[in-house]
Amino acid sequence: MEQTARSSRVLTVTSPLTGEVVGTHPVYAKEQVRATVASARELAPWWADLGFSGRRAVLDRWRHDIADRVEELADLVRRETGKPHGDAVLEIGLALEHLAWAARNAPRVLGRRRVRGTLLAAHLAGTVEYHPLGVVGVIGPWNYPVFTPLGSIGYALAAGNTVVFKPSELTPGTGRWLAESFARVADHPALQVVTGAGDTGAALCRAGVDKVAFTGSTATGKKVMAGCAETLTPVTIEAGGKDALIVDEDADVPAAARAAVWGAMSNAGQTCIGIERVFAHTAVYDEVVAEVARAAAELRAGADGAADLGPITLPGQTSIIGDQVGEALASGARAVVGGERSVPERSPFADGVGSVVQPVVLVDSPRRATVQTEETFGPVLTIDRVEDMDEAVARTNATAYGLGSAVFSRRRGMELAARLRTGMTAVNNVTGFTGIPALPFGGVDGSGFGRIHGADGLREFCYAKSIARQRFTPPVELTAFDRERADAVFRRAIRVVHGSRPWRRG
Ligand code: NDP
């Protein structure tokens, strides 16, 4: 961050591809964040009153606008994050699938529906509907700067909330692009962006929003929760992971290996649901190692357009990756692809920007090594031999995280998936759960709580509104002081309905 002559602070974004400045953005101070939230609150009734169909029309226009300019947005994402252009297109396309689903399904999921009553409340008719909370603050990461925040923004908007979005300081241009696109299609800015670093995010938590949807690291998630606790502002936390892929003895090994390599290496391993650990049944372990090593060795990281993986986006992450790999190798691990030299000691540009880390595949790394326990967030994969799938399940679950996982097995895929303590599991594929918009996305334990995507993701940005309407006057009134007769009837009724010997009169 630097100071301009007017001494208002400015965020300068440096591309990991070239080391060049690719954008400057204002740093929103506390008061500006508050003012933005206040204007979002003024707009909230207008947006809510558009109703499901009015909002769907706007969200559909927004989707078309993004799709029409997909190459422009993908270029920007590439410039800010360094990821390959094709990967940026992939994440944008996936995000649009979700936007379409949220807008189309909001009335079905959130609209008024009748619920069944019980014998004792036969005179009442129950309905439930889901009302927007008001203003939702969204705090997003840089690794999927379109797909990840849109998972909250799109669903929050479809549910009838206005949104104030704080993108990562590494990808503010992408955040602003999304808001400008929205402004092209809507009469008023139901989506607004506040740019800045952590302080701006912290200010958003305290700016009077009705909910904060946070996606980022577990450590920052705890700070967000603490900030929101001051005002009892509810939060969803989509945090980090240490996802595993397990390979059973009857699995399609080449398919499992291809999936492991894509899951681990795509986006240079900077994926919350990236595969960081593989547990392979001893019967297929050697084949898994050979296939993974062959596929991973073919990949090349670089800043040029033909590279399979881009540079590491976050300055500072490279040394974490290097330390984890170095520690594992020093304590007995063996590299079957790459090694310590895959992680450069120095970055090509100032401030640690633009380091290119080549793929690393490790075997025999100790269980306690940080590469097995901490999120690596780089193109590094460990493969371990397990005696059976019970051990694979136990090892997968032996982590502080619980975001995603994958199982490759011909016969036992669903059974094994159900035993994994993660919010999402892909069976005979990797990360497939992101491609079905109806499936909720989120984790357990250190990976956070709450859900985006699907019906749960829509309800996450609402409060349930329950209504009990009296259909007729009941013969005995229970909710009155004068109820001598009612009490006797009620006593008999609860025995009949709930007692073990309903025929016995009391
Ligand atoms: P960070 O936790 O560093 O940052 C996330 C966001 O929080 C950024 O916008 C950041 O701003 C902001 N922030 C920082 N400090 C505060 C604060 N005190 N109060 C409020 N907001 C704050 O994560 P990264 O951006 O580095 O993203 C990578 C992490 O995100 C990984 O751990 C990854 O696993 C996780 N992730 C989880 C996903 C999921 O769905 N579960 C999906 C994608 C990523 P700034 O960048 O300006 O510092």
Short mmCIF file of all heavy atoms in Angstrom, two decimals, residues 434-465:
data_model
loop_
_atom_site.label_atom_id
_atom_site.label_comp_id
_atom_site.label_asym_id
_atom_site.label_seq_id
_atom_site.Cartn_x
_atom_site.Cartn_y
_atom_site.Cartn_z
N THR A 434 -18.79 -28.91 -7.09
CA THR A 434 -18.91 -27.48 -7.43
C THR A 434 -19.75 -27.28 -8.69
O THR A 434 -20.24 -26.19 -8.94
CB THR A 434 -17.53 -26.83 -7.67
OG1 THR A 434 -16.89 -27.55 -8.73
CG2 THR A 434 -16.68 -26.85 -6.44
N GLY A 435 -19.86 -28.35 -9.49
CA GLY A 435 -20.54 -28.23 -10.78
C GLY A 435 -22.03 -28.50 -10.72
O GLY A 435 -22.72 -28.39 -11.73
N ILE A 436 -22.53 -28.88 -9.56
CA ILE A 436 -23.99 -29.10 -9.41
C ILE A 436 -24.50 -27.98 -8.52
O ILE A 436 -24.35 -28.03 -7.29
CB ILE A 436 -24.28 -30.48 -8.79
CG1 ILE A 436 -23.66 -31.59 -9.64
CG2 ILE A 436 -25.78 -30.68 -8.62
CD1 ILE A 436 -23.84 -32.99 -9.06
N PRO A 437 -25.10 -26.93 -9.10
CA PRO A 437 -25.47 -25.78 -8.28
C PRO A 437 -26.40 -26.12 -7.12
O PRO A 437 -26.39 -25.42 -6.10
CB PRO A 437 -26.16 -24.84 -9.28
CG PRO A 437 -25.62 -25.24 -10.61
CD PRO A 437 -25.36 -26.72 -10.52
N ALA A 438 -27.18 -27.18 -7.26
CA ALA A 438 -28.11 -27.52 -6.18
C ALA A 438 -27.40 -28.07 -4.95
O ALA A 438 -28.02 -28.19 -3.88
CB ALA A 438 -29.15 -28.52 -6.69
N LEU A 439 -26.13 -28.43 -5.08
CA LEU A 439 -25.43 -29.01 -3.93
C LEU A 439 -24.84 -27.92 -3.03
O LEU A 439 -24.10 -27.05 -3.51
CB LEU A 439 -24.28 -29.91 -4.40
CG LEU A 439 -24.67 -31.31 -4.88
CD1 LEU A 439 -23.43 -32.06 -5.35
CD2 LEU A 439 -25.38 -32.09 -3.78
N PRO A 440 -25.14 -27.98 -1.73
CA PRO A 440 -24.54 -26.99 -0.82
C PRO A 440 -23.03 -27.16 -0.73
O PRO A 440 -22.51 -28.27 -0.84
CB PRO A 440 -25.20 -27.29 0.53
CG PRO A 440 -25.89 -28.59 0.39
CD PRO A 440 -26.08 -28.88 -1.06
N PHE A 441 -22.35 -26.03 -0.53
CA PHE A 441 -20.88 -26.00 -0.49
C PHE A 441 -20.46 -25.44 0.86
O PHE A 441 -20.90 -24.37 1.27
CB PHE A 441 -20.38 -25.09 -1.61
CG PHE A 441 -18.87 -25.03 -1.74
CD1 PHE A 441 -18.23 -25.69 -2.78
CD2 PHE A 441 -18.10 -24.31 -0.85
CE1 PHE A 441 -16.85 -25.64 -2.92
CE2 PHE A 441 -16.72 -24.26 -0.97
CZ PHE A 441 -16.09 -24.92 -2.01
N GLY A 442 -19.57 -26.17 1.54
CA GLY A 442 -19.05 -25.67 2.82
C GLY A 442 -18.41 -26.79 3.59
O GLY A 442 -18.41 -27.95 3.15
N GLY A 443 -17.84 -26.45 4.74
CA GLY A 443 -17.08 -27.44 5.47
C GLY A 443 -17.54 -27.62 6.90
O GLY A 443 -18.57 -27.09 7.32
N VAL A 444 -16.75 -28.42 7.63
CA VAL A 444 -16.94 -28.60 9.07
C VAL A 444 -15.61 -28.33 9.76
O VAL A 444 -14.57 -28.21 9.11
CB VAL A 444 -17.42 -30.04 9.44
CG1 VAL A 444 -18.83 -30.27 8.98
CG2 VAL A 444 -16.48 -31.10 8.87
N ASP A 445 -15.65 -28.25 11.07
CA ASP A 445 -14.45 -28.06 11.90
C ASP A 445 -13.66 -26.84 11.43
O ASP A 445 -14.26 -25.79 11.18
CB ASP A 445 -13.60 -29.35 11.89
CG ASP A 445 -14.42 -30.55 12.35
OD1 ASP A 445 -15.31 -30.35 13.19
OD2 ASP A 445 -14.18 -31.67 11.87
N GLY A 446 -12.36 -26.97 11.24
CA GLY A 446 -11.53 -25.82 10.89
C GLY A 446 -11.82 -25.24 9.53
O GLY A 446 -11.29 -24.18 9.17
N SER A 447 -12.64 -25.91 8.74
CA SER A 447 -12.99 -25.39 7.41
C SER A 447 -14.20 -24.47 7.47
O SER A 447 -14.61 -23.94 6.43
CB SER A 447 -13.26 -26.55 6.44
OG SER A 447 -12.07 -27.27 6.23
N GLY A 448 -14.76 -24.29 8.66
CA GLY A 448 -15.82 -23.30 8.80
C GLY A 448 -17.20 -23.90 8.92
O GLY A 448 -17.37 -25.09 9.18
N PHE A 449 -18.20 -23.06 8.69
CA PHE A 449 -19.59 -23.50 8.85
C PHE A 449 -20.49 -22.59 8.03
O PHE A 449 -20.08 -21.51 7.60
CB PHE A 449 -20.00 -23.47 10.34
CG PHE A 449 -19.72 -22.15 10.97
CD1 PHE A 449 -20.58 -21.08 10.84
CD2 PHE A 449 -18.55 -21.96 11.69
CE1 PHE A 449 -20.30 -19.85 11.41
CE2 PHE A 449 -18.26 -20.73 12.26
CZ PHE A 449 -19.14 -19.67 12.12
N GLY A 450 -21.72 -23.06 7.88
CA GLY A 450 -22.64 -22.35 6.99
C GLY A 450 -22.43 -22.89 5.58
O GLY A 450 -21.44 -23.57 5.30
N ARG A 451 -23.38 -22.60 4.71
CA ARG A 451 -23.31 -23.13 3.36
C ARG A 451 -23.59 -22.05 2.33
O ARG A 451 -24.47 -21.19 2.54
CB ARG A 451 -24.33 -24.27 3.18
CG ARG A 451 -24.00 -25.54 3.96
CD ARG A 451 -22.72 -26.16 3.44
NE ARG A 451 -22.33 -27.39 4.12
CZ ARG A 451 -21.47 -27.44 5.16
NH1 ARG A 451 -20.93 -26.33 5.65
NH2 ARG A 451 -21.15 -28.60 5.70
N ILE A 452 -22.85 -22.11 1.23
CA ILE A 452 -23.23 -21.36 0.04
C ILE A 452 -23.71 -22.40 -0.99
O ILE A 452 -23.54 -23.59 -0.78
CB ILE A 452 -22.08 -20.48 -0.52
CG1 ILE A 452 -20.83 -21.32 -0.80
CG2 ILE A 452 -21.75 -19.37 0.47
CD1 ILE A 452 -19.73 -20.55 -1.54
N HIS A 453 -24.30 -21.96 -2.06
CA HIS A 453 -24.81 -22.81 -3.16
C HIS A 453 -26.06 -23.60 -2.72
O HIS A 453 -26.23 -23.91 -1.53
CB HIS A 453 -23.77 -23.82 -3.64
CG HIS A 453 -22.51 -23.19 -4.16
ND1 HIS A 453 -21.39 -23.93 -4.53
CD2 HIS A 453 -22.18 -21.89 -4.41
CE1 HIS A 453 -20.45 -23.12 -4.96
NE2 HIS A 453 -20.90 -21.87 -4.89
N GLY A 454 -26.86 -23.91 -3.70
CA GLY A 454 -28.02 -24.75 -3.46
C GLY A 454 -29.08 -24.05 -2.59
O GLY A 454 -28.97 -22.87 -2.27
N ALA A 455 -30.08 -24.86 -2.19
CA ALA A 455 -31.17 -24.31 -1.37
C ALA A 455 -30.62 -23.80 -0.03
O ALA A 455 -31.03 -22.73 0.45
CB ALA A 455 -32.23 -25.38 -1.15
N ASP A 456 -29.68 -24.55 0.56
CA ASP A 456 -29.09 -24.11 1.84
C ASP A 456 -28.40 -22.76 1.66
O ASP A 456 -28.43 -21.91 2.55
CB ASP A 456 -28.06 -25.11 2.35
CG ASP A 456 -28.66 -26.46 2.58
OD1 ASP A 456 -29.13 -27.07 1.60
OD2 ASP A 456 -28.68 -26.92 3.72
N GLY A 457 -27.75 -22.60 0.50
CA GLY A 457 -27.03 -21.36 0.22
C GLY A 457 -27.97 -20.17 0.08
O GLY A 457 -27.61 -19.04 0.42
N LEU A 458 -29.16 -20.40 -0.44
CA LEU A 458 -30.15 -19.31 -0.51
C LEU A 458 -30.67 -18.98 0.89
O LEU A 458 -30.76 -17.82 1.29
CB LEU A 458 -31.32 -19.71 -1.41
CG LEU A 458 -31.08 -19.63 -2.92
CD1 LEU A 458 -32.17 -20.36 -3.69
CD2 LEU A 458 -31.00 -18.17 -3.38
N ARG A 459 -30.99 -20.04 1.65
CA ARG A 459 -31.56 -19.80 2.99
C ARG A 459 -30.53 -19.17 3.92
O ARG A 459 -30.90 -18.51 4.91
CB ARG A 459 -32.04 -21.13 3.59
CG ARG A 459 -33.26 -21.66 2.86
CD ARG A 459 -33.96 -22.74 3.65
NE ARG A 459 -34.93 -23.39 2.77
CZ ARG A 459 -34.80 -24.61 2.28
NH1 ARG A 459 -33.75 -25.35 2.60
NH2 ARG A 459 -35.70 -25.11 1.48
N GLU A 460 -29.26 -19.37 3.63
CA GLU A 460 -28.20 -18.80 4.47
C GLU A 460 -28.32 -17.28 4.57
O GLU A 460 -27.90 -16.66 5.53
CB GLU A 460 -26.85 -19.19 3.85
CG GLU A 460 -25.66 -19.01 4.74
CD GLU A 460 -25.54 -20.06 5.84
OE1 GLU A 460 -25.73 -21.24 5.56
OE2 GLU A 460 -25.25 -19.66 6.98
N PHE A 461 -28.91 -16.66 3.56
CA PHE A 461 -28.99 -15.20 3.52
C PHE A 461 -30.40 -14.70 3.85
O PHE A 461 -30.81 -13.63 3.39
CB PHE A 461 -28.51 -14.69 2.16
CG PHE A 461 -27.07 -15.09 1.92
CD1 PHE A 461 -26.74 -16.07 1.01
CD2 PHE A 461 -26.06 -14.50 2.66
CE1 PHE A 461 -25.42 -16.45 0.82
CE2 PHE A 461 -24.73 -14.87 2.48
CZ PHE A 461 -24.41 -15.85 1.56
N CYS A 462 -31.14 -15.49 4.60
CA CYS A 462 -32.53 -15.16 4.94
C CYS A 462 -32.79 -15.47 6.39
O CYS A 462 -32.01 -16.17 7.03
CB CYS A 462 -33.49 -16.04 4.13
SG CYS A 462 -33.37 -15.79 2.37
N TYR A 463 -33.91 -14.98 6.87
CA TYR A 463 -34.43 -15.52 8.12
C TYR A 463 -35.75 -16.20 7.82
O TYR A 463 -36.48 -15.78 6.92
CB TYR A 463 -34.54 -14.45 9.22
CG TYR A 463 -35.56 -13.36 8.98
CD1 TYR A 463 -36.87 -13.48 9.44
CD2 TYR A 463 -35.21 -12.20 8.29
CE1 TYR A 463 -37.80 -12.47 9.23
CE2 TYR A 463 -36.13 -11.20 8.07
CZ TYR A 463 -37.43 -11.33 8.55
OH TYR A 463 -38.35 -10.34 8.32
N ALA A 464 -36.00 -17.28 8.55
CA ALA A 464 -37.24 -18.02 8.34
C ALA A 464 -38.38 -17.25 8.99
O ALA A 464 -38.28 -16.81 10.14
CB ALA A 464 -37.12 -19.41 8.96
N LYS A 465 -39.44 -17.06 8.23
CA LYS A 465 -40.61 -16.36 8.76
C LYS A 465 -41.74 -17.38 8.87
O LYS A 465 -42.25 -17.86 7.86
CB LYS A 465 -40.99 -15.23 7.79
CG LYS A 465 -42.24 -14.48 8.18
CD LYS A 465 -41.94 -13.55 9.32
CE LYS A 465 -43.19 -12.84 9.78
NZ LYS A 465 -42.88 -11.98 10.92
#
